[in-house]
């Protein structure tokens, strides 16, 4: 029996349920036998009448009048990679401690903050790509232009990535793979339970 996911706040990569129980609608995708969120928001489940009745999940963006969510030191955030260079990844923070932000916050992941042990072999291009969604921790508030983030823990790193519009699957802590082409790409992957 499917547990209720209605009104659950989700971020990209969060598991919504089994594809046998629920179909993926807008803001969701299927990987293996699971339905996952591909955007930040609240899960809505609707019954759809086709040839037979089925349930469909969709992720709806939150419109709220609550106080704005602001990152603080040690907050866990979901951020989208905007651009990369040899020294850092520029990202936009979309959620803080599982609460969606009203507006994205600019942030940086420096090359020395990607892995627990920094060596000259750590490269941004082998860790993140523009468009990836990353689970990270706030190191500090940085300067007035951007927060500083880290992915230097096993549970931090890329949680959602695509290749040519296809959602990639996790192979291991350093690799994601396109299920259609079987092409592998290096990433600093978040290993979350």
């Amino acid at each position: 029996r499917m547990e209720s996911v209605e009104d659950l706040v989700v971020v990209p990569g969060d598991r919504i349920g089994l594809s046998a129980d629920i179909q993926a609608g807008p803001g969701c995708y299927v990987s293996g036998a699971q339905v996952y969120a591909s955007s930040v928001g609240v899960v809505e489940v609707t019954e759809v009448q086709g040839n037979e009745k089925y349930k469909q999940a969709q992720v709806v963006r939150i419109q709220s009048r609550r106080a704005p969510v602001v990152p603080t030191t040690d907050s866990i955030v979901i951020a989208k990679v905007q651009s990369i260079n040899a020294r850092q990844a520029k990202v936009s923070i979309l959620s803080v401690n599982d609460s969606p932000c009203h507006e994205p916050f600019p942030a940086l992941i420096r090359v020395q903050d990607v892995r627990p042990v920094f060596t000259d072999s750590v490269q941004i291009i082998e860790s993140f790509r523009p468009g990836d969604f990353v689970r990270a921790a706030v190191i500090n508030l940085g300067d007035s232009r951007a927060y500083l983030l880290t992915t230097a823990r096993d549970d931090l790193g890329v949680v959602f990535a695509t290749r040519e519009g296809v959602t990639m699957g996790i192979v291991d802590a350093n690799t994601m793979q396109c299920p259609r082409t079987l092409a592998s790409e290096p990433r600093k992957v978040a290993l979350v339970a």
Side-chain angles (χ1 to χ4, degrees), residues 77-89:
V77 301
I78 298 294
K80 184 176 184 181
V81 178
Q82 302 299 327
S83 65
I84 60 173
N85 63 37
R87 295 181 320 279
Q88 64 194 12

Side-chain angles (χ1 to χ4, degrees), residues 8-172:
L8 184 69
V9 175
V10 293
V11 297
D14 280 354
R15 189 175 83 80
I16 294 174
L18 293 171
S19 58
D21 296 331
I22 197 162
Q23 287 197 350
C28 304
Y29 67 95
V30 176
S31 181
Q34 303 287 336
V35 176
Y36 294 93
S38 63
S39 61
V40 176
V42 175
V43 176
E44 281 187 2
V45 178
T46 54
E47 276 200 10
V48 179
Q49 182 69 49
N51 290 342
E52 53 187 73
K53 267 188 190 176
Y54 62 91
K55 290 186 177 187
Q56 182 180 55
Q58 69 175 345
V59 178
V60 178
R61 189 176 172 130
I62 296 173
Q63 302 296 327
S64 173
R65 291 188 178 88
R66 290 182 287 151
V69 175
V70 178
T72 58
T73 302
D74 297 328
S75 293
I76 299 298
V77 301
I78 298 294
K80 184 176 184 181
V81 178
Q82 302 299 327
S83 65
I84 60 173
N85 63 37
R87 295 181 320 279
Q88 64 194 12
K90 289 184 179 180
V91 302
S92 295
I93 297 173
L94 303 176
S95 76
V96 178
N97 296 327
D98 296 328
S99 295
C101 301
H102 293 290
E103 297 286 326
F105 292 95
L108 301 173
I109 304 172
R110 303 173 302 183
V111 69
Q112 64 264 36
D113 299 321
V114 171
R115 298 198 178 270
V117 178
F118 173 69
T119 65
D120 291 338
S121 66
V122 175
Q123 294 184 356
I124 292 290
I125 190 73
E126 292 186 353
S127 303
F128 314 110
R129 302 280 170 90
D132 289 357
F133 285 87
V134 177
R135 185 173 193 265
V138 177
I139 298 173
N140 65 45
L141 307 184
D143 57 25
S144 61
R145 293 183 299 274
Y147 289 86
L148 293 180
L149 308 180
T150 181
T151 57
R153 291 190 341 220
D154 288 346
D155 64 323
L156 303 177
V158 176
V159 293
F160 179 79
T162 62
R163 178 184 169 101
E164 298 171 6
V166 178
T167 301
M168 295 176 63
I170 295 170
V171 175
D172 57 35

